[in-house]
Structures are given as structure tokens and as C-alpha cells.
Amino acid sequence: MVSVLRVHLPSEIPIVGCELTPYVLLRRADKTITTDDVHETAPLDGQFLRYKWYRVQSDKKVAVCSIHPSEQATLQCLGCVKARLPVAKSYHCTPKCFSDAWQHHRVLHDRAASAANENGNEDEEVFGRFSSSGSGVSNSSLSASASSAILVNGSEAPYPAAITQKSGEIWYEVGRCKTYTPTADDIGHVLKFECVVVDAETKLPMGHVNTILTSRVIPAPSPTPRRLIPIDGMGHLDADGRITSSGTFTVLSYNILSEAYATNDLYNYCPSWALSWAYRRQNLLREIVGYRADIICLQEVQSDHYEEFFAPELDKHGYYGLYKRKTIEVYSGNTNTIDGCATFFRRDRFSHVKKYEVEFNKAAQSLTDAMIPTTQKKTALNRLVKDNVALIVVLEAKVINQPVDSPGKRQLLCVANTHVNVHQDLKDVKLWQVHTLLKGLEKIAASADIPMLVCGDFNSVPGSAPHALLAMGKVDPSHPDLAVDPLNILRPHSKLAHQLPLVSAYSSFARTAGLGFEPHKRRLDGGTNEPLFTNVTRDFIGTLDYIFYTADSLVVESLLELLDEERLRKDTALPSPEWSSDHIALLAEFRCCKNKSRQ
């Protein structure tokens, strides 16, 4: 007889839109153990498993905190209510929660309708107050049930001590599959999962019913949308608030944090439910699709996630994808989970012309064959071979906005997407990889008059040698990074140069004038004009990600606003429930321009 030994959920807190898949451990009649599903169409030993999901419906409405969605709310911001903002964003679990989040929360008020604060007590509307009888939501309706547990980074069991069918409380069946995806109707309610062994002939249950009770379903946290900021001040907004301009296109670059690297040890400050891939993939997809970029460059995309999730999901939104997995000379794990670079583009805006794959391991082999003595080749390869890759895609624009003096000319665009070696003590390898990529792009530029974009996570801070090579076209021979060169692969230093007129897109903020740009300029490093950070963890805050463009053929029209410490809140590192990567996305809008003579 088949028997169920154990049933549990990998992520205890159910979230709207995130699939729940219980782990069911079975013992067969021969005493062997399996986790395979046993469906009615393929019974095992004459038995199969039957599943049911229930929602407990109550006449007692439960609201959850907009900042800490695993906590029940105890106060509500009346400014949000009167401004007719989404009610879910008005709830907070404690006064401290509300005061800590105020700088972030007030943005909602600032963007609300101008009539939001016309009536009522101004202090109450601006600062919020405890809900009381007659204030919109009563304390009794927001009070936490005695059986709910307080969560600390998801470390304590959130299950209620007991759930009973009391007066006004009914179990509703919501699913009959092993998996279940909570909906908005489930918010604030407990879910119950049942699993029972059933006789294939009689269809009758055999043995006891195994059940799991979840914590209350929470809505998926959503950060305040980041706006596109017009650089020249001439952009205009469409009906959805997006800045548009005839003949322009947008490019997104985003390191999404591979599941393989998102461990509880590294990111123990992030609640376990928010770190789970089931949650993060949905949150990342919502964010990525929400930017509506014409070209998307993603890094740290696992090969299985590309095939099974991102490619099919983004295809539904009109994107075509190309992928380059990292090489596996160093990697020793499951090849399905090794990450790589994925580039997507809108099928209605571009067509695919050509794809180049850069494998730095192959370049390392060629370099050692040409430059390194035989006795030192093994040592050299051990240092240079790191499995990193770059994906270069040549696209052709379908929407033609041609200059009058060049009718019929194809509008091509070259987009490079890379993730450079991460080890900070291998400065020579990092610089060599960037130099190798740029030399490859120079060859493409020599064969065609084509605008170029270089996007990715370069794991190099502003002012480092790789950044200098990208932004300045050369590296000063006295740069301290050049002191690390045990293989002499960076000599002569005069070769560390390229002729591509690359400029960092986000440095455009520094070149703008007007009081309206001052908040954005304060988020830039004064020495390099790069963002103060694109990567935020408890151990590191700094800029590693860039979008570079050829300034003789492209002009920056607008940029996605940068986050600041107030928006992230001082006690928050990434990833978090709101932002599902430890990097932030960069997005720039470009317009093609007539080529200028290179300086």
C-alpha cells in the first residue's frame, strides 16, 4: 500500500500570483521512498493521490501591512484613503513601520490627485493616525488574531495554532490539483491543502487525510514605479505615463540574481518567502514587463529559467529572446542551473540580423597559446578561465525614421550584453575580459556603420581600470589596477585602448541643467558621474552595472530614475520583498542621430 510520509510547503507564506507546490514524500508497498506524483491516470500499486485546496472564508476582514505584508495591519493612512490611492498601500502594522516608511510613502501622496488634501485635518491626512471607530477601518477589523505568529525574516513558523470552523467561518474548495496559485480573493485568508491516497478501482480514500494549513495569503509587494526622466526636457507623456518620442527606443539592463546564488546564507536579511524563486520570478517578470523596454538585457539568467520561464513568458508580451549560457570549464554543478546572458527584443520593433557569442575561455586559450611559455600555461589558464561570456546581437529596426539624405538605408543596431568576472582580486582578468569584448566590437564597427550599446554587470566600480577603458577609451599607465598583472597580459599598457566613442548613458544626468535635475544629480558620483549604486547588499553598496552607447550615432532622450537611500529605506538591503534582485534595473531611451566625425 502507498502511504504518505510527509507533506510540507517549501515556502510557508502564500503570495498572490506565486504558485504553491507542496512537497509530498511517499512510501511504496516495497518500502522504497519517492517524491514522484501519482496521478489518477497512472496509478501506483492500484492507488493514486487526490489533492484539494480550501480557503477559509470569514465575515471578519483582515488587512495586511503594505510594508511588511506578512504582518496584519493595525493602522491606516487616511491621506491615502482621501486621495483615493489603492487601499492596500494605506495599511501599516505599527507606528514605527509607518514613520520609517514615511519618506517612501509620501511619494504616493505627492503623485496623487491635487484634491487629495482639500478637506479634513491636514496633520491627520499627512501623517496618518490610528484607525478608530468611525475612521474608515476599525481597530477590531485590523487586530491580529491570537493564533498568528510574529515573523522575523520568515524564521518563525507562521502557521496558526488551530483553525476551526466557527460561526461565520466556512471552508471553500478552490483547487483540485497538487499546485495552487493564490488569487486576490485569497488575500487575508488561510489556505488548507489536503492529500489522501485513493483506491484506483473504488475511488475511495485509504488511510487518513494529510493536511497543511498556511498562514494568511498576502498580496505581492509592489514598489512605487520608477519614472522615465526626459534628459532634454522636451519629452512628453503618453496615456500610460511613459515618455515617448518619434523614432526612439528603450534599452533595459538588469542582473536578476540567479536562484543558485540567492541563498539564505548570503541574504539572511531577506525573508525566506521573498527569496524563494517561486516568488522572485513572478516579481521580476512584473517589474521587467512593466518597464516596456524595446530591448532587454538580462544577466544571471539560469538556463532552465530561460527555457522554462523567461522565454515563454516574455514571448506572450511580444518579445523574441536569444541566450548565451556560461561555459563549464570551471563550473561543476548541474548544467541546467548554470547562468548566462539573455537578450530580448520586441518583435514589432526589431528583427534579428546576426548573433555573436563571446566565450572568454576560448580567448584565454588563444592568449596563452600565443603569449605564455608552455611551463606556465596551466597556471595562466587557471587564472584566466572563469566561464564568463558575452552575447552580441545585431538588430534591424522595423519602424523606419530615416534622415532625408539617406532614404532606404537599413537601420541597424548592435547590442552587447555581458557579465564580467566577479572576483575582486583578479583585476587583470576583469580588465582583460572587457578589453577582449571591446576589440570584438571594434571589428563589428569596422565592417558596418552601426550604432552600438554595451550593457551588463561589469563587476567594476566607477574609476576602476575596466570602467576607464569603457568610458575614456584608454587606461592611464599609472592606474593602480595595472599593478596586478602576474601574467603580463596587460602590457604594453598602450594597447589598452579602443576607438569606439562610448559614453555612459547615466552620465547624461550630470550634463543637464535646471533645478528639476538636482535630485537626480545628487544620486551620481561627483567624480565619475555614474550612479552612486546599482548593487545594494548588507556587505556592499556601489555601482557595477552600466549602459554605454556610441555617442556619434545615438542620443540619450530619457533615463529611468535612480533609487536613493530614502526610497530603499535605511534598514533595507537587496533583495527585499519589493525588489527581487540585489541589483537595480537601468533603462535608457535613445534616438538615432546622423553620424558625426569622430574626434
Side-chain angles (χ1 to χ4, degrees), residues 75-81 90-92 94-103 105-106 109 117 120-131:
L75 69 93
Q76 184 176 32
C77 173
L78 296 185
C80 289
V81 175
S90 68
Y91 294 125
H92 295 268
T94 65
K96 184 179 187 303
C97 165
F98 182 75
S99 62
D100 287 349
W102 170 245
Q103 291 300 323
H105 182 83
R106 69 183 302 171
H109 293 202
N117 290 330
N121 181 280
E122 183 176 354
D123 287 340
E124 287 184 350
E125 293 186 4
V126 172
F127 296 106
R129 66 183 173 90
F130 285 105
S131 298

Side-chain angles (χ1 to χ4, degrees), residues 449-507:
D449 181 14
I450 181 170
M452 289 193 169
L453 293 165
V454 186
C455 306
D457 176 1
F458 292 85
N459 273 300
S460 303
V461 298
S464 64
H467 177 263
L469 181 60
L470 285 159
M472 308 301 295
K474 62 183 179 179
V475 182
D476 190 307
S478 63
H479 197 290
D481 284 1
L482 300 183
V484 180
D485 187 18
L487 301 176
N488 288 320
I489 60 173
L490 305 180
R491 299 180 183 277
H493 295 156
S494 58
K495 78 175 183 179
L496 299 174
H498 65 89
Q499 299 302 311
L500 301 172
L502 294 178
V503 175
S504 174
Y506 271 80
S507 66

Side-chain angles (χ1 to χ4, degrees), residues 201-445:
E201 290 187 8
T202 66
K203 311 299 183 187
L204 296 176
M206 302 178 65
H208 72 281
V209 178
N210 298 269
T211 64
I212 295 179
L213 296 172
T214 73
S215 62
R216 297 183 186 275
V217 176
I218 65 173
S222 57
T224 303
R226 296 165 63 191
R227 298 175 298 150
L228 272 172
I229 309 299
I231 294 303
D232 59 4
M234 301 299 290
H236 62 276
L237 299 176
D238 67 7
D240 295 321
R242 178 183 176 184
I243 296 171
T244 60
S245 176
S246 176
T248 66
F249 62 92
T250 52
V251 179
L252 173 75
S253 184
Y254 196 8
N255 180 327
I256 63 170
L257 180 59
S258 164
E259 179 188 15
Y261 306 146
T263 65
N264 286 302
D265 289 339
L266 285 177
Y267 304 102
N268 57 14
Y269 49 82
C270 182
S272 58
W273 60 267
L275 198 57
S276 70
W277 180 243
Y279 171 73
R280 289 204 305 119
R281 70 175 188 172
Q282 293 295 341
N283 205 35
L284 287 166
L285 181 66
R286 273 195 298 270
E287 182 186 0
I288 291 167
V289 170
Y291 292 131
R292 295 185 296 152
D294 298 306
I295 301 168
I296 299 171
C297 296
L298 303 180
Q299 303 88 43
E300 286 197 24
V301 181
Q302 286 185 193
S303 56
D304 56 342
H305 294 165
Y306 174 80
E307 295 292 342
E308 299 169 10
F309 183 72
F310 285 108
E313 289 298 325
L314 288 173
D315 176 72
K316 298 174 185 176
H317 293 275
Y319 290 96
Y320 180 82
L322 297 162
Y323 183 70
K324 175 56 182 174
R325 190 181 72 174
K326 283 183 180 178
T327 45
I328 55 174
E329 279 83 347
V330 177
Y331 185 78
S332 59
N334 185 343
T335 55
N336 289 328
T337 62
I338 193 170
D339 65 287
C341 297
T343 299
F344 296 88
F345 59 87
R346 286 191 180 277
R347 291 189 295 266
D348 62 345
R349 293 295 311 273
F350 295 97
S351 58
H352 173 220
V353 177
K354 198 162 186 178
K355 171 186 176 183
Y356 301 90
E357 296 183 349
V358 179
E359 295 183 356
F360 294 114
N361 284 1
K362 286 185 177 178
Q365 185 67 57
S366 299
L367 177 67
T368 53
D369 288 346
M371 293 182 56
I372 307 297
T374 303
T375 56
Q376 299 177 22
K377 282 186 178 180
K378 184 176 180 180
T379 300
L381 286 173
N382 284 341
R383 187 172 184 85
L384 292 172
V385 170
K386 301 301 174 190
D387 289 340
N388 299 91
V389 296
L391 175 61
I392 303 172
V393 177
V394 177
L395 304 174
E396 180 176 2
K398 289 185 176 180
V399 180
I400 304 300
N401 183 34
Q402 297 173 333
V404 177
D405 57 355
S406 58
K409 185 178 179 180
R410 299 174 72 189
Q411 286 197 351
L412 299 178
L413 178 68
C414 180
V415 182
N417 179 11
T418 191
H419 188 187
V420 172
N421 179 57
V422 71
H423 299 288
Q424 297 305 315
D425 57 339
L426 299 176
K427 291 182 172 62
D428 53 325
V429 180
K430 207 180 296 286
L431 179 56
W432 169 77
Q433 286 187 358
V434 173
H435 184 250
T436 300
L437 173 61
L438 291 171
K439 285 300 169 184
L441 291 174
E442 273 191 322
K443 292 179 181 178
I444 296 174

